């Protein structure tokens, strides 16, 4: 799953849930971000951007098993 920064920026711009999750992570609330993006991951139509944001959120709260699961 490779995605250049331009693609990620476009995906974030197009999805208010992902934008809000990134803001939550940046504000020091990664668990809130995890809860927000969880409906977007784990389904067949999940986007690479949603997976990356979810993994970033999990890493911020030291959820390394979750990061590994998401990125596997």
């Amino acid at each position: 799953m490779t995605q250049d920064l331009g693609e990620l920026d476009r995906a974030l711009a197009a999805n208010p849930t992902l934008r809000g999750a990134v803001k939550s992570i940046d504000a020091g609330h990664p668990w809130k971000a995890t809860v927000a993006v969880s409906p977007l991951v784990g389904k067949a139509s999940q986007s690479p951007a949603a997976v990356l944001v979810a993994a970033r959120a999990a890493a911020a709260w030291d959820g390394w098993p979750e990061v590994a699961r998401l990125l596997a």
Side-chain angles (χ1 to χ4, degrees):
M1 168 177 51
T2 60
Q3 187 174 42
D4 71 34
L5 188 56
E7 287 181 61
L8 180 58
D9 287 340
R10 284 190 295 280
L12 292 175
N15 190 313
T17 300
L18 294 180
R19 279 195 315 276
V22 170
K23 287 180 184 178
S24 291
I25 295 166
D26 292 344
H29 305 289
W31 182 249
K32 183 178 176 182
T34 296
V35 171
V37 299
S38 65
L40 303 179
V41 296
K43 58 183 186 177
S45 62
Q46 72 185 8
S47 72
V51 172
L52 289 174
V53 171
R56 181 177 168 213
W61 53 262
D62 292 327
W64 299 111
E66 181 68 3
V67 173
R69 183 190 70 76
L70 287 162
L71 298 179

